Structure formats: structure tokens, C-alpha cells
Coordinates of all heavy atoms in Angstrom, one line a residue:
M1 N -42.8 2.5 -7.9 CA -43.9 3.4 -7.4 C -43.1 4.6 -6.9 O -42.1 4.4 -6.2 CB -44.7 2.7 -6.3 CG -45.9 3.4 -5.8 SD -47.0 2.5 -4.8 CE -48.1 1.7 -6.1
P2 N -43.8 5.7 -7.1 CA -43.3 7.1 -6.6 C -43.2 7.1 -5.1 O -43.9 6.4 -4.4 CB -44.3 8.0 -7.2 CG -45.0 7.4 -8.2 CD -45.0 5.9 -7.8
A3 N -42.4 8.1 -4.6 CA -42.3 8.3 -3.2 C -43.7 8.8 -2.6 O -44.5 9.3 -3.4 CB -41.3 9.5 -2.9
A4 N -43.9 8.5 -1.3 CA -45.2 8.8 -0.8 C -45.8 10.2 -1.1 O -46.9 10.4 -1.4 CB -45.2 8.6 0.8
A5 N -44.9 11.3 -1.0 CA -45.4 12.6 -1.2 C -45.9 12.8 -2.7 O -46.7 13.7 -2.9 CB -44.2 13.6 -0.9
S6 N -45.4 12.1 -3.7 CA -45.7 12.3 -5.0 C -46.8 11.4 -5.5 O -47.2 11.3 -6.7 CB -44.6 12.2 -5.9 OG -43.9 11.0 -5.9
L7 N -47.3 10.3 -4.6 CA -48.4 9.4 -4.9 C -49.6 10.2 -5.3 O -50.0 11.1 -4.5 CB -48.5 8.4 -3.9 CG -47.7 7.2 -3.8 CD1 -48.0 6.4 -2.6 CD2 -47.7 6.3 -5.1
N8 N -50.2 9.7 -6.3 CA -51.7 10.3 -6.5 C -52.7 9.0 -6.0 O -52.7 8.1 -6.7 CB -51.8 10.5 -8.0 CG -53.2 11.1 -8.3 OD1 -54.1 11.2 -7.5 ND2 -53.3 11.5 -9.7
V9 N -53.3 9.3 -5.0 CA -54.1 8.2 -4.3 C -55.6 8.6 -4.4 O -56.0 9.7 -4.3 CB -53.8 8.1 -2.7 CG1 -54.6 7.0 -2.1 CG2 -52.2 7.8 -2.6
L10 N -56.3 7.5 -4.6 CA -57.8 7.5 -4.7 C -58.4 6.8 -3.6 O -58.1 5.5 -3.7 CB -58.4 7.2 -6.1 CG -59.9 7.1 -6.2 CD1 -60.5 8.7 -5.8 CD2 -60.5 6.7 -7.5
L11 N -59.1 7.3 -2.7 CA -59.6 6.5 -1.6 C -61.2 6.4 -1.7 O -61.8 7.3 -2.0 CB -59.5 7.4 -0.3 CG -60.1 6.8 1.0 CD1 -59.7 5.3 1.4 CD2 -59.8 7.8 2.2
V12 N -61.7 5.1 -1.8 CA -63.1 4.8 -2.1 C -63.7 4.1 -0.9 O -63.3 3.0 -0.7 CB -63.2 4.0 -3.4 CG1 -64.6 3.8 -3.9 CG2 -62.3 4.6 -4.5
D13 N -64.7 4.7 -0.4 CA -65.5 4.1 0.7 C -66.8 4.8 0.9 O -66.8 6.0 0.8 CB -64.6 4.1 2.1 CG -65.2 3.1 3.0 OD1 -66.4 3.2 3.3 OD2 -64.5 2.3 3.6
D14 N -68.0 4.1 1.0 CA -69.2 4.7 1.2 C -69.4 5.3 2.6 O -70.4 6.0 2.7 CB -70.2 3.7 0.8 CG -70.3 2.4 1.6 OD1 -69.3 1.9 1.8 OD2 -71.4 1.9 1.9
Q15 N -68.5 5.0 3.5 CA -68.7 5.6 4.8 C -67.7 6.7 5.1 O -66.5 6.5 5.0 CB -68.5 4.4 5.9 CG -69.5 3.4 5.8 CD -69.4 2.3 6.9 OE1 -68.6 2.4 7.8 NE2 -70.1 1.1 6.7
L16 N -68.3 7.9 5.4 CA -67.5 9.1 5.6 C -66.5 8.9 6.8 O -65.4 9.3 6.7 CB -68.4 10.2 5.9 CG -67.8 11.6 6.2 CD1 -67.0 12.0 5.0 CD2 -68.9 12.6 6.5
T17 N -66.9 8.2 7.8 CA -66.1 8.0 9.0 C -64.8 7.2 8.6 O -63.7 7.5 9.0 CB -66.8 7.1 10.1 OG1 -68.0 7.9 10.4 CG2 -65.9 7.1 11.3
M18 N -64.9 6.2 7.8 CA -63.8 5.3 7.4 C -62.9 6.2 6.5 O -61.7 6.1 6.6 CB -64.3 4.1 6.6 CG -64.9 3.0 7.5 SD -63.8 2.5 8.8 CE -62.4 1.8 7.9
R19 N -63.5 6.9 5.5 CA -62.6 7.8 4.7 C -61.8 8.8 5.5 O -60.7 8.9 5.2 CB -63.4 8.5 3.7 CG -64.1 7.7 2.6 CD -64.6 8.4 1.4 NE -65.4 9.7 1.6 CZ -66.7 9.7 1.6 NH1 -67.5 8.5 1.5 NH2 -67.3 10.8 2.0
A20 N -62.4 9.3 6.6 CA -61.8 10.2 7.4 C -60.6 9.6 8.2 O -59.5 10.2 8.2 CB -62.7 10.9 8.4
L21 N -60.8 8.3 8.7 CA -59.8 7.6 9.4 C -58.5 7.2 8.5 O -57.4 7.5 8.8 CB -60.3 6.4 10.1 CG -61.2 6.5 11.2 CD1 -61.9 5.2 11.6 CD2 -60.5 7.0 12.3
I22 N -58.9 6.8 7.3 CA -57.9 6.4 6.4 C -57.1 7.7 5.8 O -55.9 7.7 5.7 CB -58.5 5.6 5.2 CG1 -59.1 4.4 5.8 CG2 -57.4 5.3 4.1 CD1 -60.0 3.6 4.7
R23 N -57.8 8.7 5.5 CA -57.3 10.0 5.1 C -56.2 10.5 6.1 O -55.2 10.9 5.8 CB -58.4 11.0 5.0 CG -57.8 12.4 4.5 CD -58.9 13.5 4.4 NE -60.2 13.0 4.1 CZ -61.2 13.2 5.0 NH1 -60.9 13.7 6.3 NH2 -62.4 12.8 4.8
S24 N -56.6 10.4 7.4 CA -55.7 10.9 8.4 C -54.4 10.0 8.4 O -53.4 10.6 8.5 CB -56.5 10.7 9.8 OG -55.6 11.1 10.9
G25 N -54.6 8.7 8.3 CA -53.3 7.8 8.3 C -52.5 8.1 7.1 O -51.2 8.2 7.3
L26 N -53.2 8.4 6.0 CA -52.4 8.5 4.8 C -51.7 10.0 4.8 O -50.5 10.0 4.4 CB -53.3 8.6 3.6 CG -53.8 7.2 3.1 CD1 -54.8 7.4 2.0 CD2 -52.7 6.2 2.7
R27 N -52.2 11.0 5.4 CA -51.6 12.3 5.6 C -50.4 12.1 6.6 O -49.4 12.7 6.2 CB -52.6 13.2 6.2 CG -53.8 13.6 5.3 CD -53.4 14.7 4.3 NE -54.6 15.1 3.5 CZ -54.6 15.1 2.2 NH1 -53.7 14.9 1.5 NH2 -55.8 15.6 1.7
E28 N -50.6 11.3 7.5 CA -49.4 11.1 8.4 C -48.2 10.4 7.8 O -47.1 10.5 8.1 CB -49.8 10.3 9.7 CG -50.6 10.9 10.7 CD -51.0 10.1 11.9 OE1 -50.2 9.2 12.3 OE2 -52.1 10.4 12.5
L29 N -48.5 9.6 6.6 CA -47.5 9.0 5.9 C -46.9 9.9 4.9 O -45.9 9.6 4.3 CB -48.0 7.7 5.2 CG -48.4 6.5 6.1 CD1 -49.2 5.5 5.4 CD2 -47.2 6.0 6.8
G30 N -47.5 11.2 4.7 CA -46.8 12.1 3.9 C -47.5 12.2 2.5 O -47.0 12.9 1.6
I31 N -48.7 11.6 2.4 CA -49.4 11.5 1.1 C -50.2 12.8 1.0 O -51.1 13.1 1.9 CB -50.3 10.3 1.0 CG1 -49.4 9.2 0.8 CG2 -51.3 10.4 -0.2 CD1 -50.1 7.7 0.7
V32 N -50.0 13.6 0.0 CA -50.7 14.9 -0.1 C -51.6 15.0 -1.3 O -52.6 15.8 -1.3 CB -49.7 16.1 -0.2 CG1 -48.8 16.2 1.0 CG2 -48.7 16.0 -1.5
H33 N -51.4 14.2 -2.3 CA -52.3 14.1 -3.5 C -53.3 13.0 -3.2 O -53.2 11.8 -3.6 CB -51.5 13.8 -4.7 CG -50.4 14.7 -5.0 ND1 -50.7 16.1 -5.4 CD2 -49.1 14.7 -4.9 CE1 -49.6 16.7 -5.5 NE2 -48.6 16.0 -5.1
L34 N -54.3 13.4 -2.5 CA -55.5 12.4 -2.1 C -56.8 12.8 -2.6 O -57.3 14.0 -2.3 CB -55.4 12.2 -0.6 CG -56.5 11.2 0.0 CD1 -56.3 9.8 -0.6 CD2 -56.4 11.3 1.5
R35 N -57.5 12.0 -3.3 CA -58.8 12.3 -3.8 C -59.8 11.2 -3.1 O -59.3 10.1 -2.8 CB -59.0 12.2 -5.3 CG -58.3 13.3 -6.0 CD -58.3 13.1 -7.5 NE -57.6 12.0 -7.9 CZ -57.9 11.2 -9.1 NH1 -58.9 11.6 -9.9 NH2 -57.2 10.2 -9.3
E36 N -61.0 11.5 -2.9 CA -61.9 10.7 -2.4 C -63.2 10.5 -3.0 O -63.6 11.4 -3.8 CB -62.4 11.1 -1.0 CG -61.2 11.2 0.0 CD -61.7 11.8 1.4 OE1 -62.8 11.6 1.7 OE2 -60.8 12.4 2.1
A37 N -63.7 9.2 -3.1 CA -65.0 8.9 -3.8 C -65.9 8.2 -2.8 O -65.4 7.3 -2.0 CB -64.7 8.1 -5.0
A38 N -67.1 8.5 -2.8 CA -68.1 7.9 -1.9 C -68.7 6.6 -2.3 O -69.3 5.8 -1.6 CB -69.2 8.9 -1.6
D39 N -68.4 6.2 -3.6 CA -68.8 4.9 -4.1 C -67.9 4.6 -5.4 O -67.2 5.4 -5.8 CB -70.3 4.9 -4.4 CG -70.7 5.9 -5.4 OD1 -70.1 6.1 -6.5 OD2 -71.8 6.6 -5.3
A40 N -68.1 3.4 -5.8 CA -67.4 2.8 -6.9 C -67.6 3.6 -8.3 O -66.7 3.9 -9.0 CB -67.5 1.4 -7.2
E41 N -68.8 4.0 -8.5 CA -69.2 4.8 -9.8 C -68.5 6.2 -9.8 O -68.0 6.6 -10.7 CB -70.6 4.9 -9.9 CG -71.3 3.5 -10.1 CD -72.8 3.6 -10.0 OE1 -73.4 4.5 -9.5 OE2 -73.4 2.6 -10.7
D42 N -68.6 6.8 -8.5 CA -67.8 8.1 -8.5 C -66.3 7.9 -8.6 O -65.6 8.7 -9.3 CB -68.2 8.6 -7.1 CG -67.6 10.1 -7.0 OD1 -67.5 10.9 -8.0 OD2 -67.3 10.5 -5.8
A43 N -65.8 6.7 -8.1 CA -64.4 6.4 -8.3 C -64.0 6.3 -9.8 O -62.9 6.9 -10.2 CB -64.0 5.2 -7.5
L44 N -64.8 5.7 -10.5 CA -64.6 5.5 -12.0 C -64.6 6.9 -12.7 O -63.6 7.1 -13.6 CB -65.6 4.6 -12.6 CG -65.4 3.1 -12.1 CD1 -66.5 2.3 -12.6 CD2 -64.0 2.6 -12.5
R45 N -65.5 7.8 -12.3 CA -65.5 9.1 -12.9 C -64.1 9.7 -12.6 O -63.6 10.5 -13.5 CB -66.6 9.8 -12.5 CG -68.0 9.5 -13.1 CD -69.1 10.5 -12.7 NE -69.5 10.3 -11.3 CZ -70.4 9.4 -10.9 NH1 -71.0 8.5 -11.6 NH2 -70.8 9.5 -9.6
H46 N -63.7 9.7 -11.4 CA -62.3 10.3 -11.0 C -61.2 9.6 -11.9 O -60.4 10.4 -12.3 CB -62.0 10.0 -9.6 CG -62.7 10.9 -8.6 ND1 -62.2 12.2 -8.3 CD2 -63.8 10.8 -7.7 CE1 -63.0 12.7 -7.4 NE2 -64.0 11.9 -7.1
L47 N -61.2 8.4 -11.8 CA -60.1 7.6 -12.5 C -60.1 7.9 -14.1 O -59.1 7.9 -14.7 CB -60.2 6.2 -12.3 CG -59.9 5.7 -10.9 CD1 -60.3 4.2 -10.6 CD2 -58.4 6.0 -10.5
F48 N -61.3 8.0 -14.7 CA -61.3 8.3 -16.1 C -60.9 9.6 -16.6 O -60.3 9.9 -17.5 CB -62.7 8.1 -16.7 CG -63.1 6.6 -16.7 CD1 -64.5 6.3 -16.8 CD2 -62.3 5.6 -16.6 CE1 -64.9 5.0 -16.7 CE2 -62.6 4.3 -16.5 CZ -64.0 3.9 -16.6
T49 N -61.0 10.6 -15.5 CA -60.3 12.0 -15.7 C -58.9 12.1 -15.3 O -58.2 12.8 -16.0 CB -61.3 13.1 -15.1 OG1 -61.3 12.8 -13.7 CG2 -62.7 13.0 -15.7
Q50 N -58.5 11.4 -14.2 CA -57.2 11.5 -13.7 C -56.8 10.2 -13.2 O -57.3 9.9 -11.9 CB -57.0 12.7 -12.8 CG -55.5 12.8 -12.4 CD -55.5 13.9 -11.3 OE1 -56.4 14.5 -11.0 NE2 -54.2 14.0 -10.8
P51 N -56.0 9.2 -13.7 CA -55.7 8.0 -13.2 C -55.0 8.2 -11.8 O -54.3 9.3 -11.6 CB -54.8 7.4 -14.1 CG -55.2 8.0 -15.5 CD -55.6 9.3 -15.1
A52 N -54.9 7.1 -11.1 CA -54.3 7.2 -9.7 C -53.1 6.2 -9.7 O -53.2 5.1 -10.3 CB -55.2 6.9 -8.6
N53 N -52.0 6.4 -8.9 CA -51.0 5.5 -8.7 C -51.5 4.3 -7.8 O -51.1 3.2 -7.9 CB -49.7 6.0 -8.1 CG -49.3 7.2 -8.9 OD1 -49.4 8.3 -8.5 ND2 -48.5 6.9 -10.0
L54 N -52.3 4.7 -6.8 CA -52.8 3.7 -5.8 C -54.3 4.0 -5.5 O -54.7 5.1 -5.4 CB -52.0 4.1 -4.5 CG -52.5 3.3 -3.3 CD1 -52.4 1.8 -3.4 CD2 -51.7 3.7 -2.0
I55 N -55.1 2.9 -5.5 CA -56.4 3.0 -5.2 C -56.6 2.2 -4.0 O -56.3 1.1 -3.9 CB -57.4 2.4 -6.4 CG1 -57.0 3.3 -7.7 CG2 -58.8 2.4 -6.1 CD1 -57.3 2.5 -8.9
I56 N -57.2 2.8 -3.0 CA -57.7 2.1 -1.8 C -59.2 2.1 -1.7 O -59.8 3.1 -1.7 CB -57.0 2.7 -0.5 CG1 -55.5 2.9 -0.6 CG2 -57.5 2.0 0.7 CD1 -54.9 3.7 0.4
S57 N -59.7 0.8 -1.7 CA -61.1 0.7 -1.8 C -61.8 -0.2 -0.8 O -61.1 -1.3 -0.5 CB -61.5 0.2 -3.3 OG -62.8 0.0 -3.4
D58 N -62.9 0.2 -0.4 CA -63.7 -0.7 0.5 C -64.3 -1.8 -0.5 O -64.4 -1.6 -1.6 CB -65.0 0.1 1.0 CG -65.8 -0.6 2.0 OD1 -65.4 -1.8 2.5 OD2 -67.0 -0.2 2.2
F59 N -64.6 -3.0 0.1 CA -65.0 -4.1 -0.6 C -66.6 -4.0 -0.7 O -67.2 -4.2 -1.8 CB -64.7 -5.5 0.0 CG -65.2 -6.6 -0.8 CD1 -64.7 -7.0 -1.9 CD2 -66.5 -7.3 -0.2 CE1 -65.3 -8.1 -2.7 CE2 -66.9 -8.3 -0.9 CZ -66.4 -8.7 -2.1
N60 N -67.2 -3.8 0.4 CA -68.7 -3.9 0.5 C -69.3 -2.4 0.2 O -69.2 -1.7 1.2 CB -69.1 -4.3 1.8 CG -70.6 -4.7 1.9 OD1 -71.2 -4.7 0.6 ND2 -71.1 -4.9 3.1
M61 N -69.7 -2.1 -1.0 CA -70.3 -0.8 -1.2 C -71.7 -1.1 -2.1 O -71.7 -2.1 -2.7 CB -69.4 0.0 -2.0 CG -68.2 0.5 -1.3 SD -67.1 1.6 -2.3 CE -66.4 0.4 -3.5
P62 N -72.6 -0.2 -2.0 CA -73.8 -0.3 -2.8 C -73.6 -0.3 -4.2 O -72.7 0.4 -4.6 CB -74.8 0.8 -2.2 CG -73.8 1.8 -1.7 CD -72.5 1.0 -1.1
T63 N -74.5 -0.7 -5.1 CA -74.4 -0.6 -6.4 C -73.3 -1.4 -7.1 O -73.6 -2.3 -7.8 CB -74.5 0.9 -7.0 OG1 -75.4 1.6 -6.3 CG2 -74.7 0.9 -8.4
L64 N -72.1 -0.9 -7.0 CA -70.9 -1.5 -7.5 C -69.9 -1.8 -6.4 O -69.5 -0.8 -5.7 CB -70.3 -0.7 -8.6 CG -69.1 -1.2 -9.3 CD1 -69.4 -2.5 -10.1 CD2 -68.5 -0.2 -10.4
D65 N -69.6 -3.0 -6.1 CA -68.7 -3.3 -5.0 C -67.3 -3.1 -5.4 O -66.9 -2.8 -6.5 CB -69.0 -4.7 -4.4 CG -68.6 -5.8 -5.4 OD1 -68.1 -5.7 -6.5 OD2 -69.0 -6.9 -5.0
G66 N -66.4 -3.3 -4.4 CA -65.0 -3.1 -4.7 C -64.4 -4.0 -5.6 O -63.5 -3.8 -6.4
L67 N -64.9 -5.3 -5.8 CA -64.4 -6.2 -6.7 C -64.8 -5.8 -8.1 O -64.1 -5.8 -9.2 CB -64.9 -7.7 -6.5 CG -64.4 -8.9 -7.3 CD1 -62.9 -8.8 -7.2 CD2 -65.0 -10.1 -6.8
G68 N -66.1 -5.3 -8.3 CA -66.6 -4.8 -9.5 C -65.6 -3.5 -10.0 O -65.2 -3.3 -11.1
L69 N -65.3 -2.7 -8.9 CA -64.4 -1.6 -9.2 C -63.1 -2.0 -9.7 O -62.5 -1.6 -10.7 CB -64.2 -0.6 -8.0 CG -63.3 0.5 -8.1 CD1 -63.6 1.5 -9.2 CD2 -63.1 1.2 -6.8
L70 N -62.5 -3.0 -9.0 CA -61.2 -3.5 -9.5 C -61.2 -4.1 -10.9 O -60.3 -3.9 -11.7 CB -60.8 -4.7 -8.5 CG -59.5 -5.5 -8.8 CD1 -58.3 -4.6 -8.9 CD2 -59.2 -6.7 -7.8
R71 N -62.3 -4.8 -11.2 CA -62.5 -5.4 -12.6 C -62.4 -4.2 -13.6 O -61.8 -4.3 -14.7 CB -63.7 -6.1 -12.7 CG -63.6 -7.5 -12.0 CD -64.8 -8.4 -12.2 NE -64.7 -9.7 -11.6 CZ -65.6 -10.2 -10.7 NH1 -66.7 -9.5 -10.4 NH2 -65.4 -11.3 -10.1
A72 N -63.2 -3.2 -13.3 CA -63.2 -2.0 -14.3 C -62.0 -1.2 -14.3 O -61.5 -0.9 -15.5 CB -64.4 -1.0 -13.7
V73 N -61.2 -1.2 -13.2 CA -59.9 -0.6 -13.2 C -58.9 -1.4 -14.1 O -58.2 -0.7 -14.8 CB -59.4 -0.4 -11.7 CG1 -57.8 -0.1 -11.8 CG2 -60.1 0.7 -11.0
R74 N -59.0 -2.6 -14.0 CA -58.1 -3.5 -14.7 C -58.4 -3.5 -16.2 O -57.5 -3.8 -17.1 CB -58.1 -5.0 -14.3 CG -57.4 -5.1 -12.9 CD -55.9 -4.7 -12.9 NE -55.3 -4.8 -11.6 CZ -55.0 -3.8 -10.9 NH1 -55.0 -2.6 -11.4 NH2 -54.4 -3.8 -9.7
M75 N -59.6 -3.2 -16.6 CA -60.0 -3.2 -17.9 C -59.8 -1.9 -18.6 O -59.7 -1.7 -19.9 CB -61.5 -3.5 -18.1 CG -61.8 -5.0 -17.8 SD -63.5 -5.4 -17.9 CE -64.1 -4.7 -19.3
H76 N -59.5 -0.8 -17.9 CA -59.3 0.6 -18.5 C -57.7 0.7 -18.6 O -57.0 0.6 -17.6 CB -59.9 1.6 -17.4 CG -59.9 3.1 -17.9 ND1 -60.4 3.3 -19.2 CD2 -59.2 4.0 -17.5 CE1 -60.2 4.7 -19.3 NE2 -59.5 5.1 -18.3
V77 N -57.2 1.0 -19.9 CA -55.9 1.0 -20.1 C -55.1 1.9 -19.2 O -54.0 1.7 -18.7 CB -55.6 1.2 -21.7 CG1 -54.1 1.4 -21.9 CG2 -56.2 0.1 -22.5
P78 N -55.4 3.2 -19.0 CA -54.7 4.1 -18.2 C -54.6 3.8 -16.8 O -53.8 4.3 -16.0 CB -55.5 5.5 -18.3 CG -56.2 5.4 -19.6 CD -56.6 3.9 -19.8
T79 N -55.5 2.8 -16.3 CA -55.5 2.6 -14.8 C -55.2 1.1 -14.5 O -55.0 0.6 -13.4 CB -56.9 2.8 -14.2 OG1 -57.8 2.0 -14.8 CG2 -57.2 4.3 -14.3
K80 N -55.0 0.2 -15.7 CA -54.9 -1.1 -15.4 C -53.5 -1.5 -14.5 O -53.6 -2.6 -14.0 CB -54.8 -1.9 -16.7 CG -53.5 -1.7 -17.6 CD -53.6 -2.5 -18.9 CE -52.3 -2.4 -19.6 NZ -52.4 -3.3 -20.9
N81 N -52.6 -0.7 -14.5 CA -51.3 -1.0 -13.7 C -51.4 -0.2 -12.3 O -50.3 -0.3 -11.6 CB -50.1 -0.7 -14.5 CG -50.0 -1.5 -15.8 OD1 -50.2 -2.7 -15.7 ND2 -49.6 -1.0 -16.9
S82 N -52.5 0.5 -12.0 CA -52.5 1.1 -10.7 C -52.4 0.0 -9.6 O -53.1 -1.0 -9.7 CB -53.7 2.0 -10.6 OG -53.8 3.0 -11.6
A83 N -51.7 0.4 -8.5 CA -51.8 -0.4 -7.3 C -53.2 -0.4 -6.7 O -53.8 0.7 -6.7 CB -50.7 -0.1 -6.3
F84 N -53.7 -1.4 -6.3 CA -55.1 -1.6 -5.8 C -55.1 -2.3 -4.4 O -54.7 -3.5 -4.4 CB -56.0 -2.2 -6.8 CG -57.5 -2.0 -6.6 CD1 -58.2 -1.2 -7.4 CD2 -58.2 -2.7 -5.6 CE1 -59.6 -1.1 -7.3 CE2 -59.6 -2.4 -5.4 CZ -60.2 -1.5 -6.2
H85 N -55.6 -1.7 -3.3 CA -55.7 -2.3 -2.1 C -57.2 -2.3 -1.6 O -57.9 -1.3 -1.7 CB -54.9 -1.5 -1.0 CG -53.4 -1.7 -1.2 ND1 -52.7 -2.7 -0.7 CD2 -52.5 -0.9 -1.8 CE1 -51.5 -2.6 -1.0 NE2 -51.3 -1.5 -1.7
M86 N -57.7 -3.5 -1.3 CA -59.0 -3.7 -0.9 C -59.2 -3.8 0.5 O -58.4 -4.5 1.2 CB -59.5 -5.0 -1.5 CG -61.0 -5.3 -1.3 SD -62.0 -4.4 -2.6 CE -61.4 -5.3 -4.0
L87 N -60.1 -3.0 1.1 CA -60.4 -3.0 2.5 C -61.6 -3.7 2.7 O -62.6 -3.6 1.9 CB -60.5 -1.6 3.0 CG -59.3 -0.7 3.0 CD1 -59.6 0.7 3.4 CD2 -58.0 -1.3 3.6
T88 N -61.8 -4.4 4.0 CA -62.9 -5.1 4.3 C -63.5 -4.7 5.7 O -62.6 -4.2 6.4 CB -63.0 -6.7 4.2 OG1 -62.0 -7.1 5.0 CG2 -62.5 -7.1 2.8

């Protein structure tokens, strides 16, 4: 996996407050390439246009939950090897 500064990270959470807290922590770790999605469907749109090295996703989201997102990520060839961390 690339160094923190060169990681391309996608943060997925339906709660703005959680995204802000996680974003702050990731910035402190030196991650500068950070995109955010408010739900799993938006995350898939992001990933289909530009894959991520690391996906950090909430588990409990409306419409498509984190497990559904993980399944979709693993089925899509450009993203199937992306690191995926699930938050609950």
C-alpha cells in the first residue's frame, strides 16, 4: 500500500458529523487525497470514475448498507483489491 500522503481514500458515511471527525483524523495522519460520499450509491459513482486505494465505510446506511457496498466493490475489477474498512 502507498504511503499515507499518496493514498487515495474514499470516506463513506451518511452522517456529516462522522465524516468530519474521520476526515480530521485522516488529515492528521497526512492523507491529502480524500473524497467523501454521503451514501453507498454515491460512493459507487465515485469509485467507478476513480478507484480508491482505501475505502472507509459506515455499516448502517439507508438504501444500500456498507456490506452491500463491500460486495459491489469486490465485484468491480478496478476496485476489487482496494482495502476496505467498515465502521459501525
Side-chain angles (χ1 to χ4, degrees):
M1 189 171 274
S6 63
L7 276 177
N8 184 352
V9 178
L10 177 61
L11 173 59
V12 187
D13 198 306
D14 58 320
Q15 294 184 13
L16 180 61
T17 304
M18 287 303 297
R19 289 197 316 267
L21 288 169
I22 297 165
R23 178 186 335 112
S24 176
L26 292 172
R27 296 277 189 229
E28 286 184 29
L29 292 172
I31 293 176
V32 294
H33 303 289
L34 177 64
R35 295 176 292 153
E36 297 181 28
D39 59 43
E41 292 172 340
D42 187 30
L44 290 173
R45 285 189 288 277
H46 278 280
L47 291 169
F48 291 161
T49 59
Q50 182 183 359
N53 303 106
L54 172 62
I55 302 160
I56 301 173
S57 175
D58 184 18
F59 177 77
N60 189 16
M61 294 182 287
T63 311
L64 180 65
D65 66 11
L67 189 55
L69 174 60
L70 175 58
R71 288 182 180 128
V73 164
R74 293 295 179 247
M75 290 175 47
H76 185 60
V77 174
T79 60
K80 72 178 186 176
N81 293 320
S82 297
F84 196 105
H85 289 275
M86 187 85 62
L87 301 176
T88 60

